[in-house]
Amino acid sequence: MKMMAIGLGKQAGAQVTHKAGFAHMAHMIPLFGKAVIKNAKILAGIAILENPFDETCKIEAMPAEEIEEREPGLQAESKALMPKILIPECDVLIVDEIGKNIAGSGMDPNITGTFGSPYASGGLKSQRVCILDLTEESHHNGNGMGTADVTTRRLVDKVDLDVTYPNGITSTLLESHKIPMILPNDKEAIQMCVRTLNGVKPEDARIIRIKNSLHIEHIQISEPLLEEAKRTKGLHIESEPFDFPFDENGNLF
């Protein structure tokens, strides 16, 4: 339904669907989808489900007239397959990279908890979110950077606002396109997050680092989270604690 209303509808379809706001999205998308099925030449729909490791695990085709009935069950199945960070809360989340090839919103808020709308929730709970870099595949689209608190000069220098802003204008989620506090390098960006925590001593900061929101099978945690991680079903401790490896420019290897 979403791909008919917004994907096939392109910018015009997306703009009309989003105009009412995210509070009405659950109503708008099926409404537009049914109109497309009724009035356009839609032959069939193909549902592609992914497992938690970003691998295709199920493909199911259905005639156009069955999409409305069958898609909700497939969507529920897809949501059940979605990965998550098994530690539910932290003080600082470090995301090595965001990008349109990672998620439409730069980083998947269902994983990171960084929703640009008050009408959606879930994912990790954190006081501060730090984003370090933008993928080349994003082609300078920094969509989603506004949901972080701190970033690096490296990331901001890669952003083309003319490429980035159309996403915010169309979706009406301008919060996702604001520029976070900018620090010179990874080390200072992480330090700023730790320094501005409320009610947490720096040595007690619970930090989680992920490569991106698409690949979270391996994560890094700070020592204050170690005991909780040992008690968490599904987590395996892979190494002894070590210092973050910063290069001479203050950036993480």
Side-chain angles (χ1 to χ4, degrees):
M1 289 294 194
K2 184 260 187 181
M3 292 307 297
M4 287 188 291
I6 297 176
L8 297 179
K10 301 299 181 182
Q11 196 276 336
Q15 185 167 342
V16 172
T17 309
H18 284 83
K19 192 64 176 176
F22 266 78
H24 303 283
M25 193 62 71
H27 169 71
M28 296 295 287
I29 286 182
L31 183 69
F32 277 76
K34 285 187 283 187
V36 171
I37 291 174
K38 181 179 178 181
N39 296 288
K41 297 178 180 180
I42 304 297
L43 175 66
I46 300 176
I48 304 173
L49 277 63
E50 296 177 346
N51 66 17
F53 299 100
D54 189 36
E55 300 167 337
T56 300
C57 65
K58 184 175 183 178
I59 300 175
E60 188 163 329
M62 65 205 79
E65 61 271 16
E66 296 181 12
I67 292 175
E68 181 183 2
E69 178 184 357
R70 291 171 60 183
E71 185 176 32
L74 289 164
Q75 185 189 40
E77 188 176 344
S78 179
K79 286 182 177 180
L81 291 167
M82 183 174 290
K84 65 178 179 179
I85 298 172
L86 297 178
I87 298 173
E89 294 187 29
C90 69
D91 299 311
V92 178
L93 172 65
I94 302 169
V95 182
D96 283 7
E97 61 181 8
I98 66 168
K100 291 291 285 184
N101 61 310
I102 303 298
S105 53
M107 50 183 169
D108 188 343
N110 294 293
I111 306 298
T112 60
T114 50
F115 288 91
S117 168
Y119 298 102
S121 61
L124 182 73
K125 293 182 179 180
S126 60
Q127 265 200 62
R128 293 282 183 266
V129 177
C130 179
I131 54 175
L132 303 180
D133 207 348
L134 184 68
T135 63
E136 290 185 12
E137 294 87 347
S138 289
H139 301 294
H140 309 289
N141 188 330
N143 184 34
M145 61 183 174
T147 58
D149 302 294
V150 179
T151 189
T152 63
R153 170 58 60 185
R154 179 174 74 256
L155 184 150
V156 174
D157 285 347
K158 293 181 179 180
V159 173
D160 183 334
L161 297 180
D162 289 336
V163 173
T164 302
Y165 284 167
N167 271 122
I169 296 168
T170 300
S171 69
T172 71
L173 294 177
L174 301 186
E175 294 84 352
S176 297
H177 297 73
K178 295 179 179 179
I179 298 175
M181 181 180 284
I182 306 168
L183 276 297
N185 53 44
D186 296 352
K187 186 174 184 180
E188 292 187 44
I190 295 168
Q191 287 175 328
M192 181 59 70
C193 286
V194 174
R195 181 173 182 173
T196 57
L197 290 174
N198 296 135
V200 180
K201 295 179 180 178
E203 60 269 24
D204 296 331
R206 300 170 301 162
I207 301 173
I208 294 177
R209 178 190 177 195
I210 63 175
K211 175 178 173 60
N212 54 54
S213 65
L214 196 59
H215 302 106
I216 56 173
E217 58 266 37
H218 302 283
I219 67 173
Q220 291 181 349
I221 62 174
S222 61
E223 287 187 76
L225 277 171
L226 186 56
E227 291 305 313
E228 180 177 351
K230 289 179 179 178
R231 297 192 302 267
T232 301
K233 184 179 179 181
L235 282 184
H236 172 70
I237 307 301
E238 296 185 317
S239 76
E240 294 296 319
F242 57 88
D243 292 331
F244 271 153
F246 294 103
D247 63 20
E248 66 274 11
N249 296 315
N251 292 320
L252 285 165
F253 287 110

